[in-house]
Amino acid sequence: MDLSIAFLVAGIIIMTGFFGIFLFDKTKVPDVLLLMGIGVLLGPVFGLVGPAGLRHFAEYFGTLALIVILFEGGMDMDIDKLLTEFGVASFLVLISFILSTGAIAAYLHFVHHWELLRSILLGSILGCTSAAIVIPIVGKMKIGNEIKTLLSIESALSDVLAVVISITLIEIINLGTIGIRTPFRAVASSFSTAIIGGALAGIIWLKVLNFLKDRRYSYMFTLAAVLITFGVLDFLGGSGSIAVLIFGIVLGNSHSFSKLLNISDDSLVESTIKFFHGEMTFFIRTFFFVYLGEIFVFRVLDAHFFLVSMALFLIIIVVRYASVLLTVKIFSEKKDDRFLMLSMMPRGLASAVLAILPASAKISGSEIFIDITFAVIILTNILMTFGVYYSDKLYNRHAGE
């Protein structure tokens, strides 16, 4: 692509991202599909960018997008609401993820006669909701802080579960050995390491920010600390994503830690860090969803492909409905939020990145994972768009009563 055309397109994408937010404020229609649609036009339709070459950057660009979104999501969470909603979120994510993975695996194994481990692998890839989509969407909705926190935590935990389980399964398939305790140990170790490491990093950084209150570039220094936290915790075997979320929660609730840490002024987080990170999140998120559209390549658009994609989509809907129904039955105070909880099932960042890994690991028969996953991402995001629109109407109706 010519340099002048590249900058022209970049400017149009940023403006589209801005008007997408304006559109959401007016109509409650999320901008995700609009941005992905631009990506599809730039990549598969007009061929201005080569999808095959872009896929090499999926893991890096996707992870960067997740980091900035999770950090912002963490800073926007109230720690009291987090402690209240964590139990509900954990229950919902476990039920939803386990049932989704199991139901998808059963369908692929018994109906299409896929190998069992390969079926479970695709089930785990498609079993998670997307924090990169859910957190920004619920953040813009005029709903209670409790349900915002619940859905944000659920999507973040869901992403991490999918990453840990999928990567463990890829290793098991390649090594040819399996132990019943291996996935559970991996999940427990990943979460515990991340929570402790992220909390310590956040507390230390609050002290650092106390010394930086009169200095410039404190936001960029903080962003560097976030990236380092992710890298270190990921290297140590923890979930870098959860560590970043915890880091953001600590900074976002700096007032709760100020007396404990003997911090006299915690206004830097509110006045500078949150403002500049909001701008950074908008920039990265806008280009990420365009990028996601650019790497779509449907190689097998036949009846079998549509049948499998629609069947998996319907399984996800049924499982989500059952999971939400069970959750509100146990936690009856969430009954009024059940429609929004049902709607928030979009697949996105984690699923897209994970779908590429099995083929890279040369797992036989996994080439179709990418095509199926992208189809499910589109379908679940279309459903979420309608869900968000009608949920907003329901909340406004209840507010007026």
Side-chain angles (χ1 to χ4, degrees):
M1 187 188 296
D2 184 75
L3 186 63
S4 57
I5 298 297
F7 279 108
L8 174 63
V9 170
I12 292 172
I13 289 172
I14 293 171
M15 284 194 170
T16 303
F18 176 82
F19 286 113
I21 294 174
F22 179 77
L23 180 70
F24 179 84
D25 291 338
K26 292 294 183 183
T27 66
K28 300 307 172 188
V29 175
D31 58 352
V32 173
L33 291 174
L34 174 64
L35 295 171
M36 288 173 63
I38 292 174
V40 171
L41 291 175
L42 292 174
V45 177
F46 295 123
L48 294 176
V49 291
L54 288 174
R55 283 188 177 176
H56 297 297
F57 302 100
E59 187 175 359
Y60 301 99
F61 190 26
T63 302
L64 176 61
L66 186 61
I67 288 171
V68 297
I69 289 169
L70 283 174
F71 183 57
E72 181 180 49
M75 286 195 292
D76 288 339
M77 284 184 197
D78 184 280
I79 198 165
D80 295 327
K81 298 287 190 303
L82 169 64
L83 295 174
T84 303
E85 301 298 326
F86 187 80
V88 187
S90 300
F91 180 83
L92 177 58
V93 73
L94 282 173
I95 294 296
S96 181
F97 182 82
I98 291 171
L99 290 181
S100 295
T101 302
I104 290 170
Y107 167 75
L108 294 172
H109 180 64
F110 292 109
V111 177
H112 295 282
H113 309 294
W114 283 27
E115 295 172 4
L116 182 58
L117 282 179
R118 187 158 62 101
S119 303
I120 297 172
L121 177 56
L122 184 56
S124 66
I125 290 171
L126 295 176
C128 64
T129 57
S130 175
I133 295 173
V134 171
I135 291 176
I137 292 296
V138 298
K140 294 179 212 165
M141 294 183 71
K142 293 177 181 177
I143 55 178
N145 288 331
E146 291 84 1
I147 188 62
K148 282 185 182 180
T149 302
L150 167 61
L151 292 171
S152 297
I153 290 294
E154 186 231 343
S155 62
L157 294 176
S158 181
D159 269 355
V160 175
L161 266 179
V163 170
V164 174
I165 297 296
S166 299
I167 291 175
T168 302
L169 284 170
I170 290 171
E171 292 175 356
I172 288 169
I173 292 171
N174 282 334
L175 293 173
T177 59
I178 184 168
I180 190 67
R181 291 179 295 180
T182 301
F184 296 102
R185 282 180 172 176
V187 171
S189 173
S190 177
F191 274 74
S192 57
T193 303
I195 291 170
I196 295 170
L200 284 174
I203 289 169
I204 291 169
W205 203 250
L206 281 177
K207 291 292 288 183
V208 172
L209 288 177
N210 197 43
F211 290 106
L212 296 177
K213 55 189 175 184
D214 296 322
R215 295 182 181 274
R216 299 173 65 189
Y217 312 120
S218 55
Y219 168 69
M220 294 308 298
F221 198 38
T222 299
L223 182 60
V226 171
L227 297 177
I228 290 170
T229 299
F230 177 90
V232 170
L233 268 298
D234 193 66
F235 178 78
L236 293 176
S239 166
S241 301
I242 291 295
V244 166
L245 180 69
I246 298 297
F247 191 119
I249 290 169
V250 173
L251 260 64
N253 292 271
S254 55
H255 55 278
S256 300
F257 297 93
S258 56
K259 288 184 179 179
L260 177 66
L261 300 174
N262 195 27
I263 296 173
S264 57
D265 182 13
D266 60 354
S267 61
L268 184 60
V269 173
E270 291 290 336
S271 63
T272 303
I273 306 299
K274 283 190 176 182
F275 174 79
F276 282 108
H277 192 73
E279 300 288 318
M280 176 64 78
T281 302
F282 165 78
F283 183 81
I284 296 292
R285 179 181 174 276
T286 298
F287 277 94
F288 169 71
F289 286 114
V290 173
Y291 168 79
L292 203 57
E294 289 173 348
I295 63 176
F296 279 9
V297 177
F298 293 111
R299 290 162 292 199
V300 281
L301 294 177
D302 54 19
H304 177 73
F305 171 77
F306 284 113
L307 173 66
V308 173
S309 300
M310 286 303 299
L312 295 180
F313 176 53
L314 291 174
I315 288 171
I316 288 170
I317 294 174
V318 171
V319 168
R320 184 69 179 183
Y321 178 79
S323 302
V324 170
L325 203 65
L326 186 58
T327 301
V328 299
K329 194 175 182 66
I330 295 173
F331 303 94
S332 56
E333 69 274 12
K334 300 300 175 191
K335 187 170 63 173
D336 292 339
D337 299 314
R338 62 186 181 275
F339 187 79
L340 181 58
M341 291 166 66
L342 174 62
S343 304
M344 283 299 156
M345 64 174 84
R347 273 50 181 172
L349 169 61
S351 297
V353 173
L354 289 171
I356 297 170
L357 298 184
S360 302
K362 307 224 177 337
I363 293 176
S364 176
S366 64
E367 296 81 9
I368 198 173
F369 281 20
I370 300 170
D371 300 317
I372 292 174
T373 299
F374 286 158
V376 171
I377 288 173
I378 291 172
L379 291 170
T380 53
N381 276 277
I382 290 173
L383 184 64
M384 180 201 67
T385 299
F386 286 108
V388 168
Y389 179 79
Y390 285 109
S391 292
D392 187 70
K393 281 192 169 184
L394 285 174
Y395 279 105
N396 285 337
R397 189 183 306 158
H398 289 153
E401 291 175 355

